[in-house]
Amino acid sequence: MNNFPNNDFELSSLISIGIIIVILIILISLFFRFVPVGLWVTAYFSGAKVSIGNLVGMRLRRVQPSEIVRPLIKATKAGLTLDTNQLEAHHLAGGNVNLVVDALIAAQRANIDLVFEQAAAIDLAGRNVFEAVQVSVNPKVIETPLISAVAMNGIEVRAKAKVTVRANIERLVGGAGEETIIARIGEGIVTTVGSSESHSKVLENPDSISQTILRKGLDSGTAFEILSIDIADVDVGRNIGAKLQADQAIADKNVAQAKAEERRAFAVAEEQEMVAEVQRMRARVVEAEAEVPLAMAEAFKKGNLGVMDYYNMKNIESDTSMRDSIAKGTSSTEEGRE
């Protein structure tokens, strides 16, 4: 009977120990989950200086520790002196830490003077800093599209150029890109061909195009340095001068036809006005002739006109009408003989 209290005490002790063990396991799991101890061990044996406190601070600042520590280990192994504050600040600014470290390592191997601040600025400017270092070491070839230009004799010349450029690290921030290089090359081709007296001179010496372009210093203000310009293809196109002359002739003909049509319409309008004027005059004659009988009647009443005078006037009218008929008949006969 006396053993029951001891058994209860032992049972409660076991339960308490179990609860404590479970809590310790949970706390240890949370610790290892929150603190990347494995990453800290890797950094420690790699020679990168990273403390547990820095790793915890990265977690609190919502920064993935592996995105900072792994590039730091890479930089340390390459002999670069960087710290977590620089890398974390660049990461929080939206930069690509791993790409910047790769660029710094590549620049160091190629004996290019590139510091972290400059590489970070290039990366934040939206340019691929690692690719820029590669292009600085291994020049890049930019091929322009087929560009058309017209010589002074009116013949079209189509040319394509290949431009060998090298990245200029110092001008990557704020410097113009490939589109500007292509546009300036096109401008140089158009200028050179347009100033040539004939297209045959351009075909005989295509190097004149590249020489003119190089003299202009087209790489100023860009992120590249032009090493060489090679004309890859030159072809003769259409006869633009002849086409323009033909188009001008058609335009002149259309203008002349429009002016002739204007003069014809003016003449027709003037003719119609004359016809209308004749009709108005005939109307006046008819109106005047209508007043003759009235005047004659008035003259008869007043005694100013006698009967013999009236008959004489009628005889004259008949004689005039007869002579008109004879004259018309003679004209018709002569026309028939002809």
Side-chain angles (χ1 to χ4, degrees), residues 2 30 78 81 182 197 275 282 319:
N2 295 329
L30 290 175
T81 303
I182 294 175
E197 295 181 357
V275 171
R282 287 179 179 176
D319 185 55

Side-chain angles (χ1 to χ4, degrees), residues 146-149 156-160 233-238:
L146 199 62
I147 299 171
S148 298
E156 179 188 23
V157 177
R158 292 177 293 185
K160 181 185 294 185
D233 185 20
V234 180
D235 191 13
V236 178
R238 300 167 296 170

Side-chain angles (χ1 to χ4, degrees), residues 169-196:
I169 301 296
E170 296 179 356
R171 293 191 305 211
L172 279 175
V173 178
E178 295 183 12
E179 293 80 6
T180 303
I181 294 290
I182 294 175
R184 291 181 179 180
I185 296 299
E187 178 186 352
I189 291 175
V190 171
T191 302
T192 305
V193 176
S195 60
S196 300

